[in-house]
Amino acid sequence: MTSSEGGEAVLLVGEGNFSFSAALSRIVATETNDITSGTDDITRETDNIAGGRRLRITATCLQTKEEALRHHGSAHNIHTITHSGGEVLFEVDCTRLSECVCLRGRQFDRVIFNFPHCGRKSGVKKNRLLLKHFFLSCVGVLKEEGEVLVSLCNGQGGTPADRPMREWHNSWQVVAMAAEAGLILNEVRPFDGEKPASYQSTGYRSQDKCFHAEQGVTHVFSRSVACSAPQRKDMQQHVLGGRPLTYHIPAELSHYIHRGFLSNSSHPVRLVQDFLVQALEREWPVSMVTEPLPLLIHSSPQRLNACCPEIQDTHTHCYWLHPSHTHTTSHTPSDDHKHIDTLLADTHITYDSEDEGRERECSNRFKECVGEGEECVGEGEECVGVGGYVLRPSLLPQMEILREEREHREEVLHGVSGLVFQRVHISPWSPHREEVLHGVSGLVFQRVHISPWSPPAFHQLLLWGAWPKASQSIPDLGRSLERLLTPYGLSLAEEQGSLWLAAEPMGRLGRLWADDLTDGVSVCLNLDLLASLVYSLPDWRLLWSPDPRFLNHFRLRPLPEQPFHPFSLFPQSFVYDISFWAGPDWQEAAFHALVREASREMVENVTLIDTYTPNTQTDTHPDVTHTYTPYTQTDTHPDVTHTYTPYTQTDTHPDVTHTYTPYTQTDTHPDVTHTYTPNTQTDTHPDVTHTSYCYRLTYRSHTHALSHTRALKLHTHLQSLLSTRMHLTVR
């Protein structure tokens, strides 16, 4: 048997008296009319395993055949297994399944290990190693979509499913051991050891005695999806005139590009957008169209600060990029200045040829993201300070363009949905209302610090309308959203003239504000955090998971009343500290970006726990000198010069040292100390200091199997990148 041909292939390892394998075999025998009795003794466990499918059972044990037959009832159980079409193998080490000749080249749908134990009175550490080596071994014979079932006595697993739960150090840590093999815990269910009369536990302290399995727990594991390494992506957009502009997407953002959530009708981000729009349409007509918006815009920190007040520091918290290469066509130098302050359109991503012409027409629609005269005149920070290209941190700058364009048109816009092309139904106009909400949604990028509810890329929904007395309409719109989202824990609060929507533990999810000068009402919402809220997601990173178990949950477009049930239970967290020295040009945002890249989004939280700056009071003023008084015992020979090199830790520049060689004529009295006042001219940069930073990183993932070995490897990789890329002295 090389596959599950004719049924589901099940491998049982570590069997004692083969009573559990015999219980499964009775199901097979019943389906083939070979055995007509014993079905009343099938446990819930065996029902779940069989699932109404034909089973092809392979039962194995570590003992020889002679040793196995010494267990009470084993001979009868072996006969039951073989008579129903299964097979029994002896001397099979569950920690070396790939080395077993009888199992070579075979794969199984399920691998079952009931109540593993090293034998005799072994401690928890030995049993942890047994589990670890078993998991590492069984993945070699497990199908890609197969499952591993491990049943443990109550308290051994070290999970909240145990009643009571043991201390972590006193448990077998089954989730952590499975993660070493890339397996995640999908389900936990009770093992009923009393119901089947045919099942008898055996092997207590390596004897033919029963053990307490009454409150046993069965853990169901499956493979975790592979985690791909981040890579820098090249992108292209066209400026007005058709010139392509090539730029790089930072490696830490490569996971968020070209995902198309808003075009996927069953993705939770799209479901939440439809849920909000359809609910608001009952009171306000909502208009959305299908025109694309570019990811890259040209602006300046000053203009973004004025347009996006919710971003505290646009210079630091935005992804400022610079073109890596521009393919030029025949144009004059004046053409560069003519097109430098334009909003880029036509991103060169994969799209159908029939959409290409429409996207190129859009480049003539979106004009001037920044004002006249704001030119990108330099490179690096100089360019950013004056004006440069930036991955859009918000849709507000582009919304301003759409609003200005709408004022010059009489027809109603049909909305914008980022890079997504989907028309939303426009509800009939209410006879007592004239207000229309116009919508735009798309992906935005913000260079935020790593915390549990701060995504660097998320989908933003903007709604705006223009009508008289806009400030009076804000409470009505706020109450509508509050009624809609209050059942999910959202609250509304007023602060600085805006209404903020917030929920625990996410924090702020959006705001509403009015502009009486333009008679405008605007709503800005974070769709990713809203999706996490209404579907009870434990982590926003689940939204970006390619795992089919997550996507299949939303295939039938469930309502928000149907919360998501995690497919990875009780994920482990690992905490590591990292310390390094950094100079005055230290940028914390760059550090967080590097952590995202190096950890592959496995770091859930980064906390600054300590900083240390050496005492630089003596180095701040060149008129303050250092004094050195040598030990007089060393001044026994006045004809021998003394050299003094101070410790470099006290100097702000470790590469600068002071050397003093006293004149030997002054060493006439060896019992008199010499005092040295160094020349302050050698203190080249007395105002520059180095600071030591210590951060605490929490590694945790709800989508991938994260083990201690893998977390430590990622942390070591981060330390290496800090040294090689950021040139920091890691301690």
Side-chain angles (χ1 to χ4, degrees):
M1 180 180 67
T2 60
S3 65
S4 58
E5 213 176 78
E8 183 175 294
V10 179
L11 174 65
L12 295 101
V13 300
E15 286 289 275
N17 56 16
F18 294 95
S19 59
F20 189 85
S21 301
L24 289 181
S25 299
R26 290 189 178 90
I27 296 179
V28 177
T30 302
E31 292 177 350
T32 57
N33 295 322
D34 290 336
I35 299 177
T36 58
S37 62
T39 56
D40 293 339
D41 295 334
I42 304 301
T43 64
R44 177 187 176 187
E45 175 72 16
T46 57
D47 289 336
N48 287 328
I49 294 174
R53 297 183 297 274
R54 173 75 180 272
L55 301 180
R56 298 177 64 89
I57 295 175
T58 301
T60 69
C61 70
L62 181 62
Q63 296 88 356
T64 64
K65 184 175 181 180
E66 292 75 16
E67 293 173 339
L69 290 175
R70 295 174 188 169
H71 293 290
H72 176 72
S74 60
H76 174 72
N77 293 330
I78 292 174
H79 174 74
T80 301
I81 297 169
T82 56
H83 186 63
S84 61
E87 62 177 329
V88 178
L89 302 176
F90 303 95
E91 299 182 70
V92 176
D93 188 349
C94 68
T95 64
R96 298 180 178 179
L97 295 175
S98 58
E99 300 178 11
C100 181
V101 178
C102 300
L103 298 177
R104 189 166 297 167
R106 299 168 61 174
Q107 288 191 319
F108 297 88
D109 296 278
R110 302 198 183 192
V111 180
I112 303 173
F113 198 176
N114 287 322
F115 304 104
H117 200 275
C118 290
R120 301 191 181 277
K121 195 175 181 180
S122 55
V124 293
K125 292 184 178 180
K126 290 184 178 180
N127 288 295
R128 278 184 214 148
L129 288 177
L130 171 63
L131 285 178
K132 175 182 176 180
H133 294 310
F134 160 69
F135 285 123
L136 290 171
S137 175
C138 74
V139 293
V141 298
L142 185 69
K143 290 185 176 181
E144 283 299 321
E145 297 182 356
E147 293 181 336
V148 180
L149 283 75
V150 177
S151 297
L152 299 175
C153 294
N154 182 39
Q156 290 178 342
T159 70
D162 294 321
R163 296 291 188 273
M165 180 181 175
R166 285 188 193 174
E167 300 88 347
W168 175 248
H169 67 275
N170 193 32
S171 71
W172 293 13
Q173 303 174 7
V174 62
V175 176
M177 297 302 103
E180 296 287 346
L183 300 174
I184 55 177
L185 180 62
N186 299 134
E187 184 183 357
V188 177
R189 52 178 179 250
F191 182 93
D192 192 348
E194 295 181 346
K195 185 175 181 180
S198 60
Y199 172 71
Q200 294 181 350
S201 62
T202 186
Y204 175 71
R205 294 192 177 180
S206 301
Q207 304 175 32
D208 193 13
K209 294 182 179 180
C210 297
F211 53 85
H212 295 290
E214 296 81 6
Q215 296 181 345
V217 179
T218 298
H219 307 80
V220 183
F221 297 91
S222 65
R223 294 181 188 270
S224 169
V225 295
C227 181
S228 58
Q231 296 180 353
R232 190 177 67 175
K233 290 187 176 181
D234 292 337
M235 302 282 288
Q236 277 192 345
Q237 290 188 180
H238 284 77
V239 296
L240 296 182
R243 293 187 295 113
L245 182 69
T246 302
Y247 62 97
H248 297 307
I249 291 291
E252 70 269 16
L253 297 180
S254 61
H255 182 60
Y256 305 99
I257 302 297
H258 300 165
R259 301 299 297 272
F261 291 170
L262 293 176
S263 61
N264 185 350
S265 61
S266 62
H267 194 276
V269 171
R270 173 62 186 274
L271 294 179
V272 167
Q273 175 177 298
D274 293 347
F275 170 67
L276 292 172
V277 171
Q278 292 170 7
L280 290 175
E281 279 183 334
R282 300 168 189 166
E283 302 181 49
W284 285 272
V286 180
S287 173
M288 303 186 74
V289 294
T290 59
E291 310 218 355
L293 287 177
L295 292 179
L296 192 66
I297 62 176
H298 187 273
S299 187
S300 65
Q302 294 80 5
R303 191 169 183 85
L304 286 180
N305 280 328
C307 189
C308 311
E310 68 276 6
I311 304 177
Q312 296 179 354
D313 184 0
T314 56
H315 180 86
T316 303
H317 295 161
C318 296
Y319 285 94
W320 295 95
L321 305 177
H322 302 288
S324 59
H325 181 67
T326 302
H327 301 279
T328 58
T329 58
S330 57
H331 63 280
T332 62
S334 59
D335 292 331
D336 291 332
H337 296 281
K338 179 179 180 181
H339 300 303
I340 194 66
D341 295 329
T342 57
L343 182 67
L344 303 179
D346 267 342
T347 54
H348 270 201
I349 59 175
T350 55
Y351 50 79
D352 298 333
S353 58
E354 61 184 18
D355 293 331
E356 184 174 356
R358 183 180 62 177
E359 288 209 3
R360 291 189 178 278
E361 291 179 2
C362 294
S363 63
N364 296 321
R365 297 175 55 85
F366 303 108
K367 302 180 179 179
E368 291 193 1
C369 179
V370 296
E372 294 293 337
E374 288 188 88
E375 298 182 1
C376 181
V377 297
E379 297 290 339
E381 296 298 326
E382 181 184 1
C383 182
V384 173
V386 178
Y389 294 101
V390 60
L391 289 175
R392 60 186 185 197
S394 173
L395 296 178
L396 285 170
Q398 295 163 321
M399 185 194 73
E400 294 292 338
I401 300 170
L402 294 176
R403 181 155 51 185
E404 291 176 4
E405 184 182 78
R406 175 183 170 274
E407 293 176 356
H408 298 286
R409 299 175 56 186
E410 296 181 357
E411 64 273 18
V412 177
L413 289 177
H414 296 288
V416 178
S417 186
L419 295 176
V420 180
F421 316 110
Q422 177 69 31
R423 289 188 178 276
V424 179
H425 172 69
I426 302 177
S427 65
W429 289 77
S430 303
H432 60 284
R433 274 195 179 272
E434 297 182 357
E435 298 90 341
V436 178
L437 287 175
H438 304 279
V440 49
S441 62
L443 189 62
V444 298
F445 308 90
Q446 294 184 10
R447 210 174 180 186
V448 294
H449 291 178
I450 298 176
S451 63
W453 295 103
S454 298
F458 59 92
H459 297 82
Q460 191 177 70
L461 173 64
L462 289 182
L463 300 171
W464 78 92
W467 53 78
K469 299 181 180 180
S471 59
Q472 298 180 9
S473 301
I474 284 293
D476 295 338
L477 190 55
R479 282 190 291 268
S480 298
L481 289 172
E482 190 175 25
R483 286 194 302 269
L484 186 63
L485 298 173
T486 294
Y488 309 104
L490 185 137
S491 61
L492 205 63
E494 184 175 359
E495 182 180 337
Q496 296 180 353
S498 298
L499 290 179
W500 292 90
L501 293 85
E504 293 295 337
M506 292 84 171
R508 290 178 173 177
L509 290 81
R511 71 183 182 108
L512 299 83
W513 71 98
D515 188 348
D516 292 331
L517 297 178
T518 61
D519 293 332
V521 175
S522 301
V523 182
C524 177
L525 300 173
N526 187 322
L527 289 177
D528 290 43
L529 295 185
L530 281 173
S532 302
L533 177 68
V534 301
Y535 286 111
S536 302
L537 300 183
D539 192 336
W540 62 266
R541 292 175 292 178
L542 276 168
L543 296 169
W544 302 90
S545 172
D547 199 307
R549 286 166 289 196
F550 175 78
L551 301 176
N552 290 339
H553 176 83
F554 299 94
R555 180 170 295 176
L556 299 179
R557 297 176 60 86
L559 297 174
E561 289 78 11
Q562 300 173 296
F564 171 75
H565 298 287
F567 58 84
S568 178
L569 303 179
F570 316 130
Q572 303 299 307
S573 62
F574 304 92
V575 178
Y576 299 100
D577 292 345
I578 189 169
S579 301
F580 48 83
W581 289 91
D585 57 346
W586 161 250
Q587 293 183 2
E588 191 173 19
F591 168 70
H592 284 261
L594 191 63
V595 172
R596 292 186 191 277
E597 177 185 347
S599 68
R600 303 183 182 184
E601 286 290 1
M602 296 288 189
V603 172
E604 183 181 58
N605 193 29
V606 175
T607 305
L608 178 64
I609 61 174
D610 189 24
T611 59
Y612 168 68
T613 302
N615 189 356
T616 58
Q617 292 177 353
T618 59
D619 292 331
T620 54
H621 299 286
D623 55 335
V624 179
T625 60
H626 306 285
T627 298
Y628 163 57
T629 302
Y631 289 103
T632 58
Q633 294 174 346
T634 60
D635 296 332
T636 56
H637 297 284
D639 56 336
V640 178
T641 60
H642 305 284
T643 297
Y644 162 55
T645 301
Y647 288 105
T648 57
Q649 290 111 338
T650 59
D651 294 317
T652 55
H653 289 281
D655 54 337
V656 178
T657 60
H658 309 288
T659 299
Y660 162 57
T661 303
Y663 290 104
T664 57
Q665 291 125 356
T666 59
D667 297 331
T668 55
H669 298 282
D671 55 338
V672 179
T673 60
H674 306 286
T675 298
Y676 161 56
T677 302
N679 187 348
T680 57
Q681 294 174 351
T682 59
D683 295 331
T684 53
H685 296 285
D687 56 339
V688 178
T689 62
H690 287 73
T691 301
S692 173
Y693 297 88
C694 183
Y695 286 89
R696 179 156 295 166
L697 279 63
T698 303
Y699 290 78
R700 189 182 186 188
S701 176
H702 290 269
T703 59
H704 301 282
L706 184 61
S707 63
H708 171 73
T709 302
R710 180 166 178 77
L712 185 59
K713 183 178 180 180
L714 292 173
H715 195 70
T716 304
H717 179 54
L718 171 62
Q719 292 176 321
S720 176
L721 290 182
L722 288 174
S723 299
T724 58
R725 191 178 298 182
M726 299 188 69
H727 308 290
L728 300 176
T729 304
V730 182
R731 297 189 297 167

